[in-house]
Structures are given as C-alpha cells and as structure tokens.
Amino acid sequence: MQLDTDKIAQQCLDAIADKIKNLKTLNIVVIGKSGVGKSTLINSLFRGNVAETGLGRPVTQEIRKIEKKDYPLAIYDTPGFELSQDQQKKVKDEVLKLIDQGLRSQDINQAIHCIWYCINVGANRTFDSSEVAWLREFTESTKSTKVPVIVVLTQGVPKSKALEMKGLVEQENLQISKVIPVLAQDMAFDEEYVARAYGLDQLVDVLSEVLPGDLQDTLQNLQKVSLEAKKKQAQAAVATAVAAAFGEGFVPLPFADAAMLIPTQVSMIAAITVIFGLDMNKSFLTAFVSSTIGAGGATVLGRAVVGNLFKLIPGVGTTVGGVISGTTAGLITTALGQAYILLMELIYKGELRKEDLYTKEGKTRMTNLFKEQLSFTKKLPR
Ligand SMILES: Nc1nc2c(ncn2[C@@H]2O[C@H](COP(=O)(O)OP(=O)(O)OP(=O)(O)O)[C@@H](O)[C@H]2O)c(=O)[nH]1
Ligand SMILES: [Mg+2]
C-alpha cells in the first residue's frame, strides 16, 4: 500500500485549521488594584501578549474587554478598581451583570468562565480588611452562579510572605476555588539576588480543574508555562484516537484498507498540534507522515511490516484473512501519537527546529523514534 503523504499532510493542515477555528473562547475577569501585576500575569501565562494590545473596549462603565482576532481568549479588565469604595461596588455589580448575561446567552463563548482576584504580596503587610469584605460580598453573590473565583497572590516574593498571606486568605473561609501565589516574571533585587518566577504552572492546573471539558483544548492552546499540562491533554487525545482505531480495526475489510485509520490519525495529529499551540506547515507534516506511517514508501502499515512487527506477540499480529486487528490498529495509532508528542515537545523546548525534519538525517531520526515507540507499545501489558 502506498500512502499519499502529501495528501495526508494537507488533511492534517485542514484539520488543524478547523480545530483552531472551533476552539471555544475562554473568558476571564481579572480584578485587582492598579499595579498589582494583572497584565504581567496574563502576558506571562498566555501566548500572544494579549494584555499589551491596548486598553480594550469598554463593555460597561468600569469593565474593558481585551480580545484579539483569531485568538480564543477574552480578558475582562477592571481598571480603576482601587479608586474608591463606590468604584469597587460598581465593579462588583457590573461583573455580576456580565456573569448573568453570559449565563442567559447559553453560549459557552459568551459565558464568564473564571474570575481572578489579584492581590499584590509585596505592597501589603497583611491581607487588607476592605479587600476581604469586598471579596466576601462578591463571592456570596457569585455562589449561585458557580463561576469559580481564584485568588492570585501576585509578585509573590518573598515566598514565605506569599505563603503567610495564602494562609490568611484561606482562614477567611471564602467561597473561592483556590489561593495561588505566583511570581509571573523573575524579579531582580540586585546583581546577586534574582527571585525566580514560580506558580504559573499551578495556576494552569487549577484552571484545568475548574474549567469545563469544552475549554480544556483552549486552555492548553493558550497557556505557555506548563509542558506537563500540555502533555497530559495530548495523551488524552491519543487515548481517544486509539479507542477509535481499535474499533476500526475490527471492521473486516481487506488489509489494504488500513488506510481507513488515517482520518482518525489525522484528527489526533491535529488535536495534539492545537494543544501545543505551535504553527505547522505542510513541509513539516509531510516529512512527519512520510517518515512514520509512510516510511520508505512501503509504509509500516503494510501487511508484511505489521506482520513482522507483531508476529512474535500471540494474538496481536494475526492478520487473519488480511484483516488488521483492533489491537494492531491501536498500537500503530499509539506509537504515532507518542512519536508526535515527543516531536512537539522538542520543538516547544526549542531543541529541534521544524526545518530539521526536512533533511535525510531528520527523517531517519523520526523513523527511528516512531519504531522505538512501536516497540514500546508492543511491550505494554494488554
Ligand atoms: N519582576 C516582576 N515584575 C512584575 C511582576 N508582576 C508585575 N510586575 C511589575 O509591576 C508593575 C505593574 O505590573 P502590571 O502588570 O502592569 O500591573 P497591572 O495590574 O496590570 O496594573 P494596571 O494595568 O495599572 O491596573 C510592572 O512594572 C511590572 O513589570 C512579576 O511577576 N515579576
Ligand atoms: Mg494592566
């Protein structure tokens, strides 16, 4: 069987574009006094420097919406929150109105998904009592809407003080999801001492816990701080594809129709790409496809190769009557998914450039990586 690698690469590109277009928009309200580090937090957590794109558009008197074309995130900023009590009351009422509007729209793209209340660790000796009072009133009102409120302790240095404040906020027994201390960017005190950024990966994990399933791909696509979280979500995409491939493998068609696995695998590649939030092009995807499932033109999906790979495992390589078994289909899909995740990881970390895959050496390396994954998955307990 000869795979049309060029066509498959194009299908991958189309599937990626389609998935990106269909990502649900994540809507976050960010509240906190001026200078606490809201913009820095947003720009450090999410790709694309969204908080730098101006002041945003006023949606109510006190709330501005920051969004970018073709970008699945909207930030509702609340400038001037510190100005007066009257101002803070207005912010509260307007955020509640916004939540209510979102709920009534019954559209996930319009709903408010999360609220961050930011408190600066550095500037506060203790947790300011007026902020406690505001937060208590606010969370009492949002309780019935079930919109999660996360308290983010920004500029969290020294760490010991950040942890102390975390304890103080927690003691208040507010209706909040979590208190997370962070330092969004390294902070230099002098040439000797630089406090290292921390906590953003934890914020991603908490977001992942509180956000609905439909926003998990969006979250991973946007966030740029936790490789672990991306890998976890990518593994879920592989599991979904493997389950589908397993079923497809049981359809009794001639073995040449192992190509019927391709749509499932294309969709898996697209899902993983979107989770990593990386830009892909056709040359890269063609190189990936040809050096894995299309290796050497003969393709490892070919009957002989699969037979050779799996004949040592009882019950796996039995391509009886030229039918690919569900297990074999699952194994190939797993190996392909794992190889692609490894590849995305290398590119994400800057350890590999896309162009590296265009060379003969690059392709050979990829082929070996895929074969390695095939032999790993072979050893998995069944
Ligand atoms: N090194 C370091 N500096 C930070 C951090 N967070 C905020 N800053 C600095 O603190 C200042 C204020 O941060 P912003 O992110 O602009 O604060 P903001 O809450 O958006 O302020 P407004 O937009 O005025 O409401 C800037 O000079 C940031 O560089 C951090 O995590 N690390
Ligand atoms: Mg700002």
Side-chain angles (χ1 to χ4, degrees):
M1 183 182 62
Q2 189 81 37
L3 288 178
D4 186 343
T5 52
D6 197 62
K7 189 171 141 207
I8 297 171
Q10 187 59 48
Q11 287 169 351
C12 287
L13 272 186
D14 294 346
I16 292 166
D18 199 52
K19 277 202 198 309
I20 289 176
K21 204 180 78 202
N22 287 311
L23 282 176
K24 307 291 185 225
T25 300
L26 171 60
N27 297 305
I28 302 178
V29 175
V30 184
I31 305 170
K33 295 180 179 174
S34 180
V36 297
K38 300 181 294 294
S39 302
T40 307
L41 176 66
I42 292 157
N43 285 333
S44 308
L45 189 70
F46 299 118
R47 65 177 172 82
N49 279 330
V50 66
E52 264 171 25
T53 53
L55 282 171
R57 167 176 71 86
V59 284
T60 69
Q61 205 180 338
E62 307 300 334
I63 300 174
R64 284 169 180 276
K65 182 177 183 180
I66 305 169
E67 57 192 336
K68 241 165 87 168
K69 199 172 176 303
D70 299 325
Y71 186 75
L73 172 72
I75 298 289
Y76 292 87
D77 197 0
T78 56
F81 181 71
E82 69 286 350
L83 293 182
S84 68
Q85 288 230 329
D86 181 48
Q87 194 87 356
Q88 297 184 9
K89 164 124 186 31
K90 270 196 214 150
V91 169
K92 176 178 152 256
D93 293 342
E94 290 181 8
V95 173
L96 290 173
K97 205 168 91 193
L98 210 58
I99 293 174
D100 189 52
Q101 278 170 4
L103 284 172
R104 268 189 286 128
S105 75
Q106 301 199 341
D107 175 1
I108 188 166
N109 295 300
Q110 304 294 327
I112 300 299
H113 303 114
C114 189
I115 291 162
W116 296 354
Y117 188 86
C118 300
I119 306 172
N120 187 342
V121 171
N124 289 269
R125 294 222 169 251
T126 54
F127 187 26
D128 173 346
S129 65
S130 73
E131 284 198 281
V132 182
W134 187 89
L135 205 46
R136 186 176 302 286
E137 238 182 86
F138 180 73
T139 50
E140 283 300 321
S141 317
T142 53
K143 199 161 74 176
S144 61
T145 66
K146 301 234 162 43
V147 179
V149 179
I150 299 171
V151 174
V152 185
L153 302 177
T154 53
Q155 309 193 44
V157 278
K159 228 178 199 169
S160 57
K161 189 171 168 205
L163 290 175
E164 190 187 311
M165 271 184 74
K166 179 175 188 289
L168 288 172
V169 178
E170 282 168 352
Q171 268 174 25
E172 297 291 333
N173 280 319
L174 302 164
Q175 302 282 332
I176 52 178
S177 302
K178 208 86 169 188
V179 186
I180 315 274
V182 301
L183 180 61
Q185 293 287 325
D186 290 353
M187 197 178 272
F189 290 89
D190 54 42
E191 285 180 11
E192 296 283 299
Y193 181 63
V194 177
R196 292 287 165 215
Y198 73 89
L200 292 179
D201 50 346
Q202 261 145 303
L203 184 52
V204 167
D205 288 345
V206 171
L207 285 171
S208 178
E209 273 167 41
V210 300
L211 293 176
D214 280 353
L215 283 167
Q216 298 296 329
D217 281 353
T218 301
L219 172 65
Q220 294 310 329
N221 174 266
L222 291 167
Q223 68 92 0
K224 59 173 185 184
V225 294
S226 174
L227 178 60
E228 285 314 306
K230 284 183 190 288
K231 279 161 74 177
K232 198 170 152 203
Q233 185 72 4
Q235 291 297 346
V238 174
T240 304
V242 168
F246 190 76
E248 284 154 10
F250 280 119
V251 179
L253 284 172
F255 189 66
D257 281 324
M260 67 190 280
L261 290 175
I262 297 297
T264 300
Q265 293 169 340
V266 162
S267 171
M268 173 179 76
I269 297 300
I272 297 170
T273 309
V274 170
I275 287 164
F276 274 86
L278 296 170
D279 274 330
M280 285 300 133
N281 58 49
K282 195 160 166 192
S283 320
F284 176 84
L285 289 163
T286 306
F288 173 74
V289 173
S290 63
S291 55
T292 53
I293 54 174
T299 157
V300 286
L301 283 179
R303 180 190 295 178
V305 185
V306 172
N308 282 335
L309 276 168
F310 298 114
K311 72 179 172 201
L312 296 176
I313 311 166
V316 173
T318 46
T319 52
V320 185
V323 175
I324 182 173
S325 79
T327 311
T328 305
L331 290 181
I332 295 169
T333 307
T334 304
L336 189 68
Q338 299 305 346
Y340 196 68
I341 291 175
L342 279 173
L343 189 60
M344 290 296 101
E345 181 174 351
L346 289 172
I347 294 175
Y348 182 82
K349 290 199 284 204
E351 290 171 12
L352 188 94
R353 296 170 311 144
K354 274 176 255 177
E355 301 79 61
D356 294 339
L357 209 62
Y358 305 166
T359 62
K360 193 154 176 292
E361 292 85 2
K363 283 187 189 143
T364 306
R365 191 176 163 198
M366 194 64 236
T367 303
N368 290 334
L369 196 70
F370 177 56
K371 285 192 177 151
E372 228 171 81
Q373 291 303 319
L374 271 176
S375 55
F376 278 148
T377 54
K378 237 177 22 173
K379 288 186 199 106
L380 288 176
R382 281 176 291 118

